[in-house]
Amino acid sequence: MKRLASCALLVASTVMFAACGKDEATDPDVGVHVTVDNAALSAAPGDTIVVVIAIANAAGFRAASFAVGFDADLLAFLSVQNDTEFMGSDGISFSERAPTGVSVGVGRIGGTAADAPGEGTLARLQFRCTSEGVAEIVLDDFRIIDIAGALCLGSDALTAIRAGVVIGDLAD
Amino acid sequence: MTRHLASLAIVLILSFVMADPGSAQQNTVDNPDLVQCYYWTNGCTPTASAMVFSYWDHYASGVGKFIHWGKLIDWYHSHDGTNNIPNLLDDLTAELGTGADGGTPMPNIRSGLLSTIESVNAYEGSVGQFHGFDDCWDALVSEIDASRPCVYSLFPETSSIGHSTAAWGYRRTMFAKFVVLYDTWDWNPVLPYPANYREDWSLRLYYGGTEPVPAREPWLHTVQLARTDTQDDDILLDQPYGGEVIPAGRPYTIQWYQWGDRIDNVTILMSRNNGLTWTQVASNVESIGAGWHSYDWDVPCVDDADVRIRVQAFDRFFVNIYVAGDGSFDECRIRRVDPVTPSGTHVDRTTVAPGGSCTLSWGASSNALSYELSENGTWRNVGTVREVTKSFASEGRYAYRVRAVGACANSAANTEVTVTVQIPLTEPTGFQASNLHPQCGEPVTLSWQPVHGAVKYELATNGEWRDIGTANNIVLRHDSDGDYAYRVRAIGRYATGPATAPIAVAVRTFCDVWPGDLDNDGAVATSDILSLATFWGRTGGSRSQGGMEWRACRTAAWVPIPATYADADGSGRVDIGDFLAVCVHWNRTHDASGGGDKATESDADPEVLAALYAQVGDAVAGPRYEIRRFLEKQLDIAPPARYALHANRPNPFNPSTCIEYDVPVQTQVRVRIFDVTGRLVREIAGRDHAPGTYKIVWNGDDEQGRSVPAGVYFCRVDAADFSGTRKMTLVK
């Protein structure tokens, strides 16, 4: 008897950065939040899943890059899409295959700080489930850049966020 | 009758003498420079009488012209006849006086005349009484030198043709002697006398000196004197005639005519002081037989001078005996005309390969007899041509000048032209540098292929050329950062070859990177995408400082240096992070006037460009659209020819699908989603579209952002007169 696995395996789905354009030392409680909205997913082999990455407290946001790690035996990366509500019409996203996964970049071209909302969907990662199993998606190596080009948090202070995907009937 | 005629003659004589009562005495000359003298010998005494009268006539008239001489002669002829002569002579001697004036004593004259008349036929002469030419001449000259006018009557011996010559002369200055010869008979019609010459008598005037010539007839260059013991031997100097301009330094033909057969040779003399002294031009010039004779005189190269030419004839039996008079009774002028410098020499090519040739030419020079061409200082005559073709067998440098050759002197040489004979030098090929981006102190070897004909090479560093010797390579080291442009050229024996295109060597330790200005041109713009695509994936040193603040970030130089700027975020790799820098600092600028390393490589990776294009292919405005258009140009993507709505992909879909449509012209486009009932679910596009292909993702939500249920939906695109619909199935 098959049993569809429910959402599971969310190890850590939130990371907080220093707020863009703000002094972390003087205002430690204010920082950019990056989360995975749907950190627990289930799907059948052949299905397409979308991992939605949200960002908050990111006024003055301009661009972000991060690495996406996943089990290539279970998942195939399809694309990254930026969100027009958050990025506006000037948003752009880009992905590059890397040895251990995919490098992703999203950002807005031009514009002013006032144009950039501080909260919304940063990106949508689209995967195709290829085999049954429990797949982990690790988002790491974040670089969040504000409109001045400043790195909101040093690259040496990254914390990975993860999402889990149960693919197929794992009851057995 | 005779008496009557004689009386008439006296009357005539007196009439013209008395016509000017203020003039000289009848038998004297009141001009202190003119002392009369009379020298008589055998001859045509009537002529001599006429001479006297004409002399008086001349000076009595006071106008310096022989106004009445013709009358005298005519009068004489009108009384032609032997019987008339004595009466005439009587009348004349009566008028001439007794010689008390210092001239030849009249009694002597009279007796002489009378004895002649009485003893000999006045028209035949007498050998015994004839003094001969030399005596005649000497007597004449002596009288003149004694400042006495004189009359000389000469009649050749036993002449059957009848000839008489008379002369009178005077001396006015130290060297000016005027001698008038009257030839009363035309005895040789061969002479080229003018048309108005009267055959029955002639008057010939021999004059010299600087005095104005009172009356000059064109045939007066003739001296006709004859030896006493021979037939007539006369000589006529025909050329120069007087007044000619004789070019100095060039041949000139002196021509004379002679009669008789006893003249053997002539001596030609020239005087440059109006007859005061004479210098010999030529002697022993053969002149045998009647007719024309000439002598080609090499006129000396003297400055402009007035000269007189005299031809003296010598008898072959009496060598060095003066037998004839001289001619050239008017001055001619030797004029020296030197050639002008030919205009500058022209050469049709200044550089010639061995085995080749060139043509030299120059302008004409007036008064040039020929031209001389100097090749490297050695002159040679090339004749009258003004164009010379030179052929060259081997390398060399040849300097040419031209001068005109004149009769007396050459012109100055004209401007020098130089022809270089050189193996054609080519631009060095294979010019390359071992390292275009060395660090300080790191050697850089420049090398190139040897150039045929080169004897050495020169290297230019930023435009400054220097000799680098014969090797076709050079090792360079740089002490400090800098941009160095190197060129090399071959140096031949006589010429310099063309230079290579420059090779830029950038010696760098650090680069100042402005994040986002990936091509370091001073602005963040679409062109930076090319740099990104060119160096995509390149790695190099990273910089410690994080972030992409808009400022110069000093970074260790990469190889190649332009890649350093493409790593905008300093991660050590050109990747997506650098594109984000473009996004962050779009349209920002910085001062790049100081130069620096611009992106020179444009080998943009089309896959990268295509990947970027996929991200902006739906842009209709703003920076994304700018990038889109830029990428379309780079990728050679032409706008679609017509409207189209393509099938969405994937279909069926979950949760999103991509809708792709073509817009050929700028227009308003609406993209809307309807459900199966025709209800509008969402309008996902509704604004102006530039020409292009657009891809829009529908995430299966409605206008409120709510997910729509699974089912069939329709995508409708409306633009201008186009309308297209596609069926889409959302599965869940």
Side-chain angles (χ1 to χ4, degrees), chain B residues 73-366:
Chain B
I73 300 298
D74 287 341
W75 176 84
Y76 160 69
H77 278 277
S78 69
H79 296 75
D80 192 12
T82 303
N83 293 333
N84 293 330
I85 292 175
N87 296 330
L88 173 61
L89 293 177
D90 289 339
D91 294 338
L92 288 175
T93 54
E95 295 296 331
L96 289 174
T98 61
D101 54 3
T104 304
M106 284 298 102
N108 295 345
I109 296 174
R110 185 175 187 278
S111 63
L113 291 173
L114 293 176
S115 64
T116 298
I117 294 170
E118 291 171 354
S119 61
V120 299
N121 186 327
Y123 291 93
E124 294 179 353
S126 170
V127 174
Q129 295 178 308
F130 202 81
H131 296 284
F133 171 79
D134 294 338
D135 293 341
C136 295
W137 182 260
D138 291 343
L140 182 63
V141 171
S142 65
E143 292 296 319
I144 293 174
D145 287 346
S147 300
R148 292 192 294 270
C150 60
V151 174
Y152 186 89
S153 180
L154 173 67
F155 188 78
E157 59 176 328
T158 62
S159 172
S160 62
I161 60 174
H163 174 236
S164 87
T165 301
W168 61 264
Y170 64 92
R171 167 175 160 172
R172 291 205 56 176
T173 63
M174 179 177 170
F175 54 86
K177 298 173 183 177
F178 282 78
V179 178
V180 179
L181 287 115
Y182 291 84
D183 182 358
T184 57
W185 299 94
D186 174 21
W187 50 275
N188 194 330
V190 176
L191 287 174
Y193 291 150
N196 60 353
Y197 176 69
R198 293 178 59 173
E199 292 187 352
D200 56 344
W201 54 269
S202 64
L203 172 66
R204 299 178 185 178
L205 176 62
Y206 169 39
Y207 56 91
T210 58
E211 295 295 329
V213 178
R216 199 176 73 177
E217 297 294 340
W219 61 86
L220 297 183
H221 289 257
T222 304
V223 170
Q224 295 180 349
L225 295 175
R227 291 182 56 83
T228 60
D229 57 347
T230 66
Q231 297 295 321
D232 298 334
D233 286 282
D234 302 309
I235 186 166
L236 166 68
L237 179 61
D238 180 66
Q239 183 174 289
Y241 189 77
E244 292 95 334
V245 174
I246 301 175
R250 305 183 67 171
Y252 179 80
T253 300
I254 297 173
Q255 180 174 276
W256 62 92
Y257 189 90
Q258 66 186 43
W259 295 265
D261 61 358
R262 290 177 297 168
I263 294 177
D264 178 70
N265 60 82
V266 299
T267 292
I268 300 172
L269 304 171
M270 177 181 71
S271 174
R272 296 181 64 183
N273 55 10
N274 208 13
L276 182 61
T277 59
W278 295 84
T279 56
Q280 184 171 282
V281 172
S283 63
N284 294 323
V285 178
E286 184 177 274
S287 181
I288 300 173
W292 292 102
H293 296 270
S294 63
Y295 171 74
D296 290 332
W297 177 33
D298 289 328
V299 181
C301 284
V302 298
D303 293 336
D304 290 359
D306 292 326
V307 299
R308 291 167 59 188
I309 299 297
R310 169 181 288 177
V311 178
Q312 293 180 326
F314 291 85
D315 190 303
R316 62 179 176 274
F317 301 113
F318 302 92
V319 176
N320 296 328
I321 294 177
Y322 179 65
V323 297
D326 53 4
S328 183
F329 311 109
D330 195 3
E331 292 178 337
C332 51
R333 173 170 288 269
I334 294 179
R335 184 179 298 281
R336 173 169 168 169
V337 182
D338 292 333
V340 299
T341 303
S343 60
T345 302
H346 170 74
V347 61
D348 61 346
R349 67 196 65 178
T350 58
T351 302
V352 181
S357 63
C358 70
T359 299
L360 299 158
S361 59
W362 54 90
S365 166
S366 59

Side-chain angles (χ1 to χ4, degrees), chain B residues 369-701:
Chain B
L369 301 180
S370 62
Y371 296 96
E372 287 186 343
L373 177 66
S374 167
E375 182 179 86
N376 291 340
T378 302
W379 292 94
R380 72 178 180 88
N381 194 291
V382 296
T384 58
V385 300
R386 291 189 290 109
E387 183 176 289
V388 172
T389 297
K390 300 289 296 184
S391 297
F392 305 96
S394 58
E395 287 187 319
R397 178 163 286 159
Y398 301 88
Y400 293 100
R401 304 180 76 182
V402 173
R403 66 187 180 192
V405 177
C408 296
N410 296 333
S411 73
N414 62 13
T415 306
E416 181 179 280
V417 297
T418 302
V419 177
T420 299
V421 183
Q422 167 72 54
I423 296 173
L425 297 171
T426 59
E427 174 185 327
T429 58
F431 184 42
Q432 60 184 0
S434 61
N435 187 355
L436 296 177
H437 305 285
Q439 299 289 321
C440 291
E442 186 178 2
V444 177
T445 301
L446 300 176
S447 60
W448 56 92
Q449 294 299 315
V451 176
H452 176 59
V455 296
K456 62 180 180 179
Y457 298 95
E458 285 185 349
L459 176 71
T461 304
N462 293 338
E464 295 290 332
W465 289 97
R466 63 186 173 97
D467 188 340
I468 57 172
T470 59
N472 61 319
N473 61 77
I474 185 172
V475 178
L476 304 172
R477 294 179 188 275
H478 304 82
D479 297 331
S480 59
D481 287 5
D483 296 312
Y484 300 89
Y486 291 107
R487 305 174 74 185
V488 68
R489 65 187 179 190
I491 306 298
R493 193 175 305 278
Y494 298 102
T496 299
T500 61
I503 284 182
V505 174
V507 182
R508 286 289 184 276
T509 304
F510 297 101
C511 295
D512 289 328
V513 176
W514 288 77
D517 185 11
L518 305 186
D519 59 359
N520 195 34
D521 68 345
V524 181
T526 51
S527 62
D528 296 308
I529 295 172
L530 282 184
S531 186
L532 181 76
T534 298
F535 300 112
W536 185 270
R538 294 273 187 117
T539 58
S542 61
R543 61 175 181 265
S544 57
Q545 58 185 148
M548 301 179 185
E549 289 88 350
W550 186 243
R551 57 185 173 82
C553 302
R554 178 142 293 188
T555 305
W558 290 23
V559 178
I561 284 180
T564 313
Y565 302 95
D567 183 26
D569 60 0
S571 66
R573 183 173 184 273
V574 180
D575 54 17
I576 187 63
D578 305 309
F579 182 67
L580 295 182
V582 176
C583 299
V584 169
H585 297 297
W586 183 257
N587 275 347
R588 279 188 162 165
T589 61
H590 67 90
D591 182 12
S593 60
D597 302 287
K598 304 294 188 295
T600 54
E601 299 183 38
S602 58
D603 189 18
D605 185 343
E607 290 188 9
V608 176
L609 294 178
L612 288 171
Y613 182 71
Q615 296 298 315
V616 298
D618 60 337
V620 296
R624 292 179 74 248
Y625 181 66
E626 287 181 44
I627 296 174
R628 171 189 169 180
R629 295 300 303 269
F630 175 78
L631 291 172
E632 284 176 343
K633 289 184 179 178
Q634 298 299 319
L635 295 169
D636 200 21
I637 298 174
R642 61 183 64 84
Y643 291 102
L645 172 61
H646 302 287
N648 61 302
R649 285 185 281 183
N651 191 24
F653 67 97
N654 178 20
S656 60
T657 187
C658 179
I659 300 167
E660 181 176 346
Y661 57 96
D662 297 336
V663 179
V665 296
Q666 183 92 17
T667 189
Q668 184 81 14
V669 177
R670 299 182 71 185
V671 181
R672 292 174 292 179
I673 307 298
F674 298 90
D675 63 14
V676 291
T677 66
R679 183 180 63 87
L680 176 64
V681 175
R682 184 180 175 190
E683 180 169 340
I684 55 179
R687 58 182 175 179
D688 215 24
H689 280 54
T693 297
Y694 294 85
K695 295 178 181 177
I696 297 181
V697 175
W698 181 46
N699 293 319
D701 50 2

